[in-house]
Amino acid sequence: MLIWTEVSWIPNKHYSGIYGLMKLVLTKTLPPDLQKVIVLDTDITFATDIAELWAVFHKFKGQQVLGLVENQSDWYLGNLWKNHRPWPALERGFNTGVILLLLDRLRKLRWEQMWRLTAERELMSMLSTSLADQDIFNAVIKQNPFLVHQLPCFWNVQLSDHTRSEKCYKDVSDLKVIHWNSPKKLRVKNKHVEFFRNLYLTFLEYDGNLLRRELFGCPSETDHNSENVCGTILIYSLYPSQLHV
């Protein structure tokens, strides 16, 4: 059975379409021996080493299986406009652009049944999702708050149209992850948007040849007295559960 059929029954108004719901089925689609994973939206820009985020898994306690940053807009408070009726959420809710998932524990908790029953119940009155998987994740968390390990806000600084993310940081140098979660993407309005945009474009234009040819000054193959670090590559293997160099 095609995996998209697992979520195609859910009416979704979000611009991401059916793909915005696929995070719900990762416990089923990923290999059963994969214990944990970091899940990122495609509109994420990292300003730090992702290994720092991986290390946060060690801070999970008890039945915590989801690492999430609080939503940085008033969307789930239901006060953005008259008659605005969002899906249920715990206070401000959580944003699913950056998720730490403990897959092995989620499977033991019967995650697939948990989110399906929640979605079916809420869709009877909500009729469709507005923010795709995020609505369903939040509805589940509303009923099971013990599932969440709340991440510091700098791990998902959200640039949505109604964001309050500027309250999250004092200086842009504090940021670790920038999330362009507005349909406007790079055209979003924010007082630091030029800095954010330049950071994104810098990563976009990175070229490994530049590092090899101009920055390291690699010795020749015949120079046996020099320590050749130019061919050394750090590989972060996040499968199944360790970092390897």
Side-chain angles (χ1 to χ4, degrees):
M1 181 174 62
L2 296 175
I3 197 63
W4 65 267
T5 61
E6 297 287 314
V7 294
S8 60
W9 58 274
I10 304 173
N12 179 26
K13 294 180 180 179
H14 194 259
Y15 61 86
S16 60
I18 192 173
Y19 303 104
L21 297 162
M22 298 303 291
K23 280 179 276 188
L24 293 166
V25 296
L26 291 179
T27 54
K28 188 170 185 178
T29 57
L30 294 177
D33 57 339
L34 185 61
Q35 298 179 3
K36 51 190 173 183
V37 68
I38 295 173
V39 185
L40 305 172
D41 280 3
T42 57
D43 54 0
I44 290 288
T45 301
F46 261 79
T48 191
D49 190 337
I50 194 172
E52 293 182 33
L53 181 57
W54 185 261
V56 177
F57 276 118
H58 296 298
K59 298 182 179 181
F60 281 41
K61 298 179 181 178
Q63 292 182 286
Q64 294 175 343
V65 292
L66 305 168
L68 294 163
V69 171
E70 185 180 53
N71 201 50
Q72 293 165 7
S73 78
D74 290 345
W75 178 272
Y76 287 108
L77 297 180
N79 59 10
L80 290 182
W81 56 79
K82 187 177 181 180
N83 298 325
H84 175 216
R85 185 168 171 252
W87 275 57
L90 190 65
E91 299 178 356
R92 304 186 70 86
F94 294 91
N95 184 278
T96 57
V98 176
I99 317 177
L100 274 63
L101 292 179
L102 283 178
L103 296 170
D104 52 345
R105 294 188 192 177
L106 280 167
R107 293 183 182 110
K108 292 177 182 177
L109 290 171
R110 303 179 69 181
W111 166 253
E112 187 164 342
Q113 182 181 27
M114 188 182 296
W115 75 256
R116 276 182 172 272
L117 290 175
T118 300
E120 289 171 356
R121 182 184 67 245
E122 297 300 332
L123 283 169
M124 292 179 67
S125 58
M126 299 302 297
L127 304 183
S128 67
T129 61
S130 295
L131 300 182
D133 68 283
Q134 184 168 297
D135 285 337
I136 298 174
F137 269 99
N138 274 289
V140 172
I141 292 168
K142 174 76 171 179
Q143 298 296 319
N144 307 276
F146 59 87
L147 296 175
V148 180
H149 175 84
Q150 185 168 336
L151 304 175
C153 63
F154 52 67
W155 283 117
N156 184 353
V157 176
Q158 301 147 39
L159 303 182
S160 59
D161 292 340
H162 304 285
T163 187
R164 294 173 175 261
S165 60
E166 293 175 10
K167 296 182 178 181
C168 168
Y169 58 92
K170 294 182 179 179
D171 190 89
V172 290
S173 62
D174 300 331
L175 307 183
K176 294 184 181 294
V177 175
I178 300 162
H179 187 186
W180 304 88
N181 62 323
S182 165
K184 300 174 183 176
K185 301 305 178 187
L186 299 184
R187 300 187 303 276
V188 69
K189 293 182 179 180
N190 182 284
K191 69 178 182 180
H192 295 128
V193 70
E194 285 301 320
F195 174 84
F196 299 147
R197 187 184 295 117
N198 288 337
L199 180 64
Y200 166 76
L201 294 174
T202 297
F203 281 114
L204 196 65
E205 296 173 3
Y206 266 175
D207 185 346
N209 289 321
L210 172 68
L211 297 177
R212 285 192 290 270
R213 296 174 185 172
E214 300 183 21
L215 298 186
F216 287 152
C218 296
S220 67
E221 294 182 2
T222 58
D223 187 358
H224 300 293
N225 295 322
S226 298
E227 182 180 2
N228 187 355
V229 298
C230 301
T232 302
I233 302 174
L234 294 179
I235 302 175
Y236 293 111
S237 174
L238 305 185
Y239 179 84
S241 61
Q242 297 178 339
L243 291 175
H244 302 285
V245 176

